[in-house]
Amino acid sequence: MEKLGFEAVILHERPNKGRTIITKFREEAADIGFALVVMTPDDLGKPNDDSEPKPRARQNVVFELGFFIGALGPERVAAMVKGDIERPSDFDGVVYISLDKEDWPTKLGQELQAAGYEIEWNKVMRP
């Protein structure tokens, strides 16, 4: 995001200021126009009726995805996925951007452009 000239707000790097996590999310979300949620296979989980655990994103990341979809609208949230992870069922049908494919910068640029941001495509295409 910074390579494209946008200010990245990384929540865990922001001061807590004595706020609860939900207050921190609400206040930080009030000043942003687009959220990028990176989902990596950091946990294992399974439904009760399944025998094998599957890779999934950490539960706080799934919460953050839902929070930002609610706060900003799905058109202003990009979910980027690394690996073959379990995806939230309430978010089925939504296209995820795969970090495993070489064209992920282009896909992210397209999402930002669709949300109304000007994109300098020469910066996106630069390695």
Side-chain angles (χ1 to χ4, degrees), residues 7-74:
E7 177 189 358
V9 175
I10 302 168
L11 287 173
H12 77 267
E13 293 178 359
R14 304 294 273 201
N16 291 325
K17 299 190 255 182
R19 302 178 285 187
T20 63
I21 191 71
I22 196 70
T23 299
K24 182 177 180 180
F25 270 69
R26 275 199 312 259
E27 289 176 0
E28 297 293 338
D31 294 332
I32 65 168
F34 194 90
L36 177 61
V37 178
V38 180
M39 303 176 77
T40 57
D42 295 324
D43 281 353
L44 292 174
K46 68 180 188 69
N48 287 336
D49 60 351
D50 202 342
S51 62
E52 290 295 317
K54 296 180 176 89
R56 67 179 184 189
R58 297 190 72 115
Q59 295 301 291
N60 65 302
V61 175
V62 175
F63 171 80
E64 292 163 7
L65 175 65
F67 176 86
F68 285 112
I69 289 170
L72 303 173

Side-chain angles (χ1 to χ4, degrees), residues 82-103:
K82 176 124 181 100
D84 184 23
I85 64 168
E86 178 183 78
R87 292 174 170 93
S89 60
D90 285 351
F91 204 46
D92 275 348
V94 171
V95 177
Y96 292 83
I97 299 172
S98 174
L99 288 168
D100 298 320
K101 296 185 179 174
E102 290 181 19
D103 68 341

